[in-house]
Amino acid sequence: MAREFTAQMSMHRGRWRLYVVLLNTTERWPEYGFDRALPVPTFTERVNALSVLGFEPLPGAAWQWTEDRRDLDDPSSPVVLIAAIRVRSWTGVAA
């Protein structure tokens, strides 16, 4: 049976990366690097990356973007954008 998770995408070391959050486990989080800063990965590229990792968006799920900052105590700190979507693993994927 497919399990549900949250996938997130953020900028790390000047490149976009997509990862699936595996809470309550010591497993390494599946991750996909886009190897670029611009342009932001398209919807299709993100879905293809999830597929490579063995996941797919839940039916009806949409990407939601959140604005954060590197230093929470400094309002002038650079902005960090984080995208998130609910996903499910394919049957047989051990996540």
Side-chain angles (χ1 to χ4, degrees):
M1 178 168 187
R3 293 179 53 202
E4 295 181 9
F5 303 92
T6 297
Q8 295 181 332
M9 187 178 75
S10 64
M11 180 76 69
H12 179 68
R13 296 183 180 166
R15 296 184 169 130
W16 286 103
R17 68 179 176 135
L18 184 143
Y19 49 93
V20 179
V21 179
L22 305 179
L23 297 177
N24 303 317
T25 180
T26 57
E27 296 291 322
R28 184 176 177 91
W29 293 2
E31 184 175 320
Y32 182 93
F34 290 97
D35 295 328
R36 69 173 193 256
L38 293 173
V40 175
T42 66
F43 175 82
T44 300
E45 289 174 311
R46 288 179 256 155
V47 170
N48 289 343
L50 285 169
S51 177
V52 167
L53 298 176
F55 296 86
E56 64 185 356
L58 290 177
W63 288 91
Q64 296 186 8
W65 290 84
T66 302
E67 183 177 308
D68 203 353
R69 58 182 180 255
R70 285 194 192 137
D71 181 352
L72 296 177
D73 296 325
D74 180 4
S76 66
S77 179
V79 170
V80 176
L81 293 175
I82 302 169
I85 192 169
R86 292 295 292 166
V87 298
R88 63 183 173 199
S89 65
W90 294 337
T91 302
V93 171

